[in-house]
Amino acid sequence: MRAGTKILTPAEILGFVVLALLIFAVFPIALDIFRLNLVGKYLTYAFVAIGLVLCWGAGGILSLGQGVFFGLGGYCMAMFLKLEASTPEATAIQSTPGIPDFMDWNQLTALPIWWEPFNSFAFTLFAVVAVPTAFAFLIGLAMFKRRVGGVYFAIITQAFAAILTILIIGRQGYTGGVNGITDLRTLLGWDIRTDDAKYVLYFVNGVLLFVCLFAAMAIKKSKLGRLLIALRDQEDRVRFSGYDVANFKIFVFCVGAAMAAVGGAMFTLQVGFMSPSFVGIVPSIEMVIFCAVGGRHSILGAVYGALLVNWAKTTFSEAFPELWLFAMGALFISVVLLFPNGLAGLYATYVAPNVDTLINRLRPNSRAGTPKDIVAQGSPAE
Amino acid sequence: MFDGYTMSELGAIFAMQGFAGLILFSVFVLMALGLAIIFGQMGVINMAHGEFMILGAYVTYLCSTFFETYLPSIFGIYFFIAMILAFLASGALGMLVEWGLIRHLYRRPLDTLLATWGLSLILQQTYRSVFGAREVGVTIPNWMLGSLPLTDMIEVPINGLFVMALAVSIAAAVYVMIFRSKWGRQVRAVTQNRVMAGAVGINTERTDRLTFGIGCGVAGVAGAAFTMIGSTGPTAGQLYIVDTFLVVVFGGAASLLGTIASAFSISQAQSIMEFFLSGSMAKVLTLLVVVGILMLRPQGLFALKVRK
């Protein structure tokens, strides 16, 4: 692992360029808007996967509750959009016009007080990131300060995913229940259901994804990133060196939550609804598998993992709905038993040496020694 | 929330809900016992535990159908045979899984979690392909139907009593196996120090396989008991897995007594609150309280004092 170099290596720059070309050029040109919108949806999961690379791959904190943060971000956005769609004119047939339709169906006669702030777009943008991050901070503070980690942390975050799902489904009048918040139409008067809007949202999503990618890369390359790896491998030694381990864990967990929340908000915008089926235990564990397939130590791998697994899910479940769960199960087992480093591991073993050779051939005078020497030094061992 | 009830009514409600809680408690205990063996003793997180339970339930369903069709004369006792078969089926599958999957992952607990989750998906889809997506119910023998009236307002269903008796006897059996048998001594030795246990001549691999198998077998019996009070579907196991893990963690991972105490408190809290609040809010409150207590006391109610 080449941690410690502050600047990106040529291979890493190449990786970013290839991904940027893929997202901003190849997909928009090659795919029609329906498929592109699907890719956009897959990419929202990549936000979660990047956060998991930081938490799990670097920090060793496996959270099975990322769906909670994804969902909270998505719900904050959905609440704003729903309020905008529920003008008194549009909801004139309800017994109480001006409130979201599901509230009317559940005999609510006024907007609940905690829905009020979501009339403001600025507050919504703030809440999308702040609410999940604050929640993650509370969980992290309670758990890591008491040195709860590993398996226990995973189980408790999973319990939170269960709690939030039950709460959303149970409090139908306030949250839309099992159907979620549907029928979202406009964002500040701009219709998000048209093809043009979908193109714009796709590119906004792509740009935000790259912001997260660079942020994650910066964290991983910094001293903080090296500390995270150290505390993953030997937590006690880091503690004995005088660091407050809990603070680092809380920080990285919050970063992961914030990224998941941004993904959730973009998901709502692109897909047009939000429901508890993206919050619960099952989606939360699936998010971990995106990260694992991509390679739990690789930030770029997370994006490919999310794309590949979701693409496979769509294709398989359209063609052979019965085989899909078998394939998914087999994926879980094989990625753990056979490819613990995921796609990134395969890349490092089989492709990276060739890429290094290529880069060095293109820059013959870059460093001392022949290209072959450099290849020998840059071992693929991760 | 107590408005409009007289004292005697409240008493009866608490008694009836308390009894409903006891049935839930029995199911929790049966499921959690298997998990306490696997998670508490071996440190393996088996997310497919619910599916092992459902396997037991399906075995019971098959037995019920078989006895109804071919051996109606001894239908009354089919459940006991079904229970043994459920134990054997789940146990055998458990040992197979240990051999094929778990033994490669003893040093990576978080990876076990993901791999067994994959296993649970595969098992769920297998059940769906074989038995169909609809829930199936068993025919309960006549002697288990009906209820015993205790007072005018309180009556207890017999199948509930039976499940409770089953839970108590299985718990006793597991206690004897772990704390009074040679195998149990080996299991505890392997848990505490694998290398030393191997050095004094314990076959650690065989012990692990047997432990995992017995844990899964107990889950199968839990599934058999489960059919007496509810119907079985391919995804029923997943509904219980988080609850069960919380029960085990809340009780203190390595403590059987703790597991039973925590199953008792969680199930009672949930079922008594269920009467006064909606079912989902009762569940949310229960889970929140459990998670809250776990944050204050991460080692659970009854922590085993071990020098690390």
Side-chain angles (χ1 to χ4, degrees), chain B residues 28-157:
Chain B
F28 274 173
V29 164
L30 283 171
M31 254 194 97
L33 275 178
L35 207 62
I37 296 174
I38 292 173
F39 178 59
Q41 301 296 325
M42 298 171 74
V44 170
I45 308 154
N46 183 16
M47 294 301 281
H49 199 75
E51 276 63 41
F52 284 101
M53 174 177 126
I54 297 305
L55 178 67
Y58 275 122
V59 168
T60 314
Y61 164 72
L62 287 180
C63 273
S64 145
T65 324
F66 178 82
F67 276 79
E68 223 175 349
T69 326
Y70 298 104
L71 298 164
S73 53
I74 50 166
F75 184 72
I77 58 145
Y78 88 89
F79 184 74
F80 298 98
I81 297 164
M83 220 166 66
I84 295 166
L85 287 177
F87 180 82
L88 292 178
S90 297
L93 183 66
M95 282 163 86
L96 189 73
V97 166
E98 202 276 346
W99 174 79
L101 191 64
I102 310 286
R103 72 189 168 118
H104 305 290
L105 299 169
Y106 279 122
R107 289 171 188 281
R108 293 146 56 189
L110 291 179
D111 286 5
T112 333
L113 194 158
L114 295 180
T116 48
W117 180 263
L119 178 73
S120 83
L121 292 181
I122 292 176
L123 286 176
Q124 273 175 32
Q125 186 57 44
T126 313
Y127 300 149
R128 200 171 290 133
S129 307
V130 176
F131 297 99
R134 285 179 53 195
E135 300 206 332
V136 296
V138 303
T139 317
I140 299 176
N142 281 329
W143 59 269
M144 247 189 254
L145 294 171
S147 53
L148 296 173
L150 287 185
T151 69
D152 294 344
M153 278 186 285
I154 306 172
E155 38 182 53
V156 293

Side-chain angles (χ1 to χ4, degrees), chain A residues 48-188:
Chain A
V48 189
I50 298 168
L52 275 169
V53 168
L54 288 178
C55 291
W56 181 37
I61 310 160
L62 179 56
S63 159
L64 295 182
Q66 291 306 95
V68 169
F69 309 123
F70 186 82
L72 284 175
Y75 264 98
C76 285
M77 184 53 86
M79 282 159 76
F80 172 76
L81 296 176
K82 189 70 198 173
L83 285 180
E84 193 177 310
S86 315
T87 52
E89 298 82 54
T91 52
I93 51 164
Q94 290 175 184
S95 46
T96 318
I99 62 171
D101 46 13
F102 58 83
M103 290 187 185
D104 193 59
W105 300 333
N106 286 285
Q107 283 85 43
L108 260 68
T109 50
L111 198 63
I113 187 112
W114 53 276
W115 270 72
E116 293 288 354
F118 288 93
N119 277 311
S120 145
F121 186 56
F123 176 82
T124 304
L125 286 186
F126 168 73
V128 159
V129 179
V131 170
T133 312
F135 191 47
F137 179 75
L138 284 180
I139 298 177
L141 195 68
M143 308 285 293
F144 296 133
K145 284 284 181 192
R146 303 193 70 88
R147 302 189 186 175
V148 179
V151 172
Y152 288 81
F153 185 76
I155 291 172
I156 290 194
T157 46
Q158 191 173 43
F160 276 113
I163 291 172
L164 190 64
T165 323
I166 299 170
L167 200 61
I168 291 174
I169 293 175
R171 309 258 77 188
Q172 238 192 91
Y174 299 94
T175 59
V178 72
N179 298 322
I181 300 183
T182 53
D183 202 15
L184 308 174
R185 292 167 198 163
T186 54
L187 175 71
L188 299 173

Side-chain angles (χ1 to χ4, degrees), chain B residues 152-214:
Chain B
D152 294 344
M153 278 186 285
I154 306 172
E155 38 182 53
V156 293
I158 294 175
N159 59 354
L161 281 177
F162 179 77
V163 172
M164 277 163 55
L166 197 64
V168 171
S169 34
I170 302 261
V174 168
Y175 174 82
V176 170
M177 273 199 292
I178 289 193
F179 293 101
R180 292 287 177 270
S181 78
K182 187 166 169 243
W183 166 78
R185 204 157 54 233
Q186 291 185 348
V187 170
R188 284 179 292 137
V190 172
T191 316
Q192 286 180 10
N193 194 329
R194 182 173 298 269
V195 181
M196 278 310 288
V200 296
I202 295 172
N203 185 342
T204 56
E205 287 188 9
R206 215 185 102 237
T207 312
D208 283 335
R209 193 154 312 148
L210 206 61
T211 313
F212 197 82
I214 288 180

Side-chain angles (χ1 to χ4, degrees), chain A residues 34-50:
Chain A
F34 174 71
R35 293 277 158 192
L36 190 69
N37 187 240
L38 276 183
V39 171
K41 185 177 116 183
Y42 304 160
L43 286 178
T44 58
Y45 289 120
F47 287 89
V48 189
I50 298 168

